[in-house]
Amino acid sequence: MARSQTRYICQSCGQVHPRWVGKCDGCGAWNTLAEEVSEKAGPKATGGKGGRHLSFVELSGAPEFEPRRPTGIAELDRVLGGGIVPGSAILVGGDPGIGKSTLLLQAAARLSEDRRIAYISGEEAVDQIRMRAIRLGVEKSRVALAASTNVRDIVASLDHGEAPEVAIIDSIQTMYVDTLESAPGTVGQVRAASQELIRLAKRKGTALILVGHVTKDGMIAGPKVLEHMVDTVLHFEGERGHQFRILRSIKNRYGPTDEIGVFEMTETGLGEVANPSALFLADRSQDVSGAAVFAGMEGTRPVLVEVQALVAPSPLGTPRRTVVGWDTGRLAMTLAVLEARAGLSLGGYDVFLNVAGGFRIQEPAADLAVAAALVSAVSGTPCPSNAVVFGELGLSGEIRAVSQTEARLKEAAKLGFDRALIPRVQSQSKNRKKIPAAGLGLDEMGTIGDLFDLFPDAHQAARHGDRRERA
Ligand code: TYD
Ligand code: MG
């Protein structure tokens, strides 16, 4: 007979503990354990009798490719790798209030034009969703709507008759399986609810879209376990104060993971932003020291953003290093290279680095743009306002080549730039002939020292600042 058993499960990593402890053995997080009651398992799976024999097949068989279903929202389709794969499970994570429900309701409305869509909300009442639909101008679309949190009811409804092609569950943290005693949102519940829903989706060929909330530290609440269970994980992110939102693919069994979709939150829902560079550079102030335009790539799409640096003599023993939108470790490395290889010491300065517009850069190709912004800030000389910058910085001070030079330069030319600071090796590669095609004047940099040709006063200004500080 099944026996119920109390266990304590870390809500962060899913580690199971037989008794309560303050600190999880698995991930080291404090105070993350929650009590969950489970039915004890029956006979052990290993060494047991009665398992079915698997029929192994050849690796070389012809795979069945399921056609993708484009959602009609180009920015969403790009991130999904072309559209929704039938029977797949997609997790859309993001901070509360970022716009997940808005995006999915808009997608549902588009999809409902030629297929059956179910939208099940555990967070809002039907009337609230209708009100949002009116605001978005999609109230006439044929989305099947329900408000429920009980997985048993949801599975029964989706299983009954013809299943919808896409089912949206908003959100997985509100769903509960009534055979478990723990509260909705706990790891056990999230895992069990997802398992039930995913199993149904695979059986029926329904694509399942789960909404997941993100905790303070950016994890999808409850669980890494959930990320393992689904085929695709998308992150919807953005700064509260800014109107644009970025949809990023973290994991995708059916598509690329480096593509982004860019949206703008407006009064009437999320609008697609086909040309993000223009948006990110819209508020650029020209001829101010400490700013450099980085020509970046997000997947296959070039994105130009402004990197801003502020350098000020520090009153503190340990000067501040504050970074928004880039990696703190990479800033430390860039500062160290500037000091060790170019003799520019910023040890007595507070350094603030910001990627304008709330964008987050992940490419090392931004190193040279960051270095240019820093040196420009110290020297008080603006970077050439008609120039874009990219290149990776090596520890010996060399500027290293980065990928997709041509795409970066073309985008810069399209936006009216006519000059680029790029790695020297780049122009010596076999792509040499292609580069001038973009029509930009190229400043080629072999080492970090070459940057100082543009800012001849930087060293003196830095020394001057240090002296002023000591005086
Ligand atoms: P929502 O989709 O409810 O976020 P989530 O599901 O991720 O919690 O979006 C909520 C925010 O979006 C809310 O602060 C209001 C804003 N919003 C608009 O600016 N315009 C709109 O058309 C809609 C529907 C929402
Ligand atoms: Mg919501």
Side-chain angles (χ1 to χ4, degrees):
M1 208 191 83
R3 190 154 57 86
S4 70
Q5 183 193 27
T6 302
R7 322 178 288 172
Y8 295 85
I9 299 186
C10 172
Q11 302 300 300
S12 171
C13 71
Q15 173 97 351
V16 180
H17 299 71
R19 67 187 75 79
W20 193 87
V21 288
K23 184 181 178 188
C24 171
D25 301 337
C27 63
W30 287 92
N31 219 0
T32 53
L33 263 56
E35 181 178 354
E36 297 189 11
V37 181
S38 69
E39 297 284 300
K40 198 154 187 180
K44 271 210 197 120
T46 48
K49 294 195 183 85
R52 242 175 352 106
H53 289 272
L54 302 175
S55 54
F56 288 94
V57 294
E58 296 278 321
L59 178 62
S60 62
E64 283 177 35
F65 283 113
E66 291 276 13
R68 286 166 192 278
R69 309 280 158 82
T71 61
I73 298 179
E75 295 295 305
L76 177 58
D77 288 338
R78 180 208 311 284
V79 177
L80 287 170
I84 296 176
V85 176
S88 69
I90 300 166
L91 175 66
V92 179
D95 288 333
I98 207 74
K100 302 180 293 296
S101 305
T102 307
L103 176 69
L104 293 177
L105 189 57
Q106 283 182 277
R110 284 289 186 89
L111 284 163
S112 71
E113 284 163 18
D114 55 356
R115 58 199 72 145
R116 292 156 49 86
I117 306 299
Y119 186 105
I120 299 155
S121 177
E123 303 205 325
E124 289 158 304
V126 166
D127 279 340
Q128 282 175 298
I129 301 167
R130 284 191 178 139
M131 264 153 59
R132 174 178 294 136
I134 292 170
R135 187 170 175 188
L136 299 173
V138 298
E139 71 276 16
K140 296 277 187 312
S141 57
R142 292 176 305 140
V143 176
L145 190 62
S148 171
T149 53
N150 188 334
V151 173
R152 186 194 294 273
D153 295 349
I154 295 171
V155 169
S157 323
L158 295 180
D159 213 359
H160 176 74
E162 206 185 331
E165 286 186 49
V166 181
I168 298 168
I169 307 288
D170 187 0
S171 67
I172 191 65
Q173 275 96 11
T174 55
M175 299 295 151
Y176 75 95
V177 175
D178 52 16
T179 50
L180 289 182
E181 274 180 32
S182 46
T186 52
V187 171
Q189 281 289 4
V190 167
R191 180 163 40 199
S194 316
Q195 232 156 24
E196 294 262 329
L197 291 165
I198 291 171
R199 199 178 308 137
L200 172 83
K202 298 266 182 247
R203 186 154 53 80
K204 288 286 208 175
T206 297
L208 185 68
I209 303 182
L210 304 172
V211 173
H213 289 298
V214 164
T215 55
K216 277 200 299 295
D217 33 337
M219 293 246 298
I220 291 179
K224 277 283 173 205
V225 281
L226 186 50
E227 297 195 13
H228 289 299
M229 287 162 64
V230 297
D231 302 303
T232 303
V233 180
L234 305 181
H235 245 263
F236 204 35
E237 56 192 38
E239 296 281 321
R240 219 32 95 70
H242 292 285
Q243 83 277 25
F244 66 82
R245 305 278 181 266
I246 292 171
L247 189 65
R248 227 177 250 285
S249 142
I250 307 288
K251 158 180 172 178
N252 196 346
R253 287 193 184 136
Y254 304 110
T257 51
D258 52 359
E259 294 286 1
I260 60 166
V262 184
F263 298 88
E264 194 175 4
M265 182 61 99
T266 67
E267 272 307 294
T268 51
L270 289 157
E272 298 173 51
V273 177
N275 186 348
S277 304
L279 182 73
F280 292 137
L281 294 179
D283 302 327
R284 193 160 71 98
S285 42
Q286 306 206 336
D287 294 327
V288 177
S289 65
V293 176
F294 167 55
M297 292 296 298
E298 290 289 341
T300 54
R301 186 158 57 162
V303 176
L304 267 52
V305 284
E306 189 182 41
V307 177
Q308 302 171 332
L310 181 66
V311 172
S314 177
L316 305 172
T318 312
R320 257 190 285 261
R321 303 281 181 251
T322 306
V323 183
V324 180
W326 205 47
D327 182 25
T328 320
R330 276 208 95 84
L331 174 66
M333 188 204 81
T334 308
L335 290 171
V337 172
L338 280 171
E339 172 151 12
R341 307 294 173 193
L344 182 75
S345 168
L346 297 179
Y349 291 87
D350 286 334
V351 175
F352 303 90
L353 192 77
N354 179 36
V355 177
F359 192 69
R360 190 157 50 83
I361 304 179
Q362 288 171 333
E363 275 188 292
D367 293 350
L368 188 59
V370 170
L374 288 168
V375 178
S376 159
V378 178
S379 70
T381 310
C383 279
S385 67
N386 58 343
V388 296
V389 190
F390 59 87
E392 186 180 337
L393 202 54
L395 287 183
S396 58
E398 82 278 17
I399 313 292
R400 313 179 69 138
V402 300
S403 61
Q404 291 171 291
T405 306
E406 203 186 344
R408 296 173 201 264
L409 292 177
K410 271 197 182 142
E411 177 79 354
K414 206 164 79 189
L415 285 154
F417 291 88
D418 56 17
R419 200 170 156 192
L421 316 187
I422 65 166
R424 172 164 301 143
V425 277
Q426 204 90 55
S427 61
Q428 284 166 354
S429 69
K430 45 187 184 312
N431 292 335
R432 164 110 209 165
K433 274 189 266 41
K434 282 196 203 148
I435 291 175
L440 273 75
L442 304 179
D443 287 274
E444 296 165 25
M445 316 228 149
T447 68
I448 189 75
D450 296 345
L451 195 57
F452 289 82
D453 297 346
L454 291 174
F455 308 100
D457 306 335
H459 285 105
Q460 208 193 343
R463 276 195 296 276
H464 180 69
D466 273 351
R467 256 202 312 281
R468 207 175 38 188
E469 192 42 36
R470 263 181 244 116

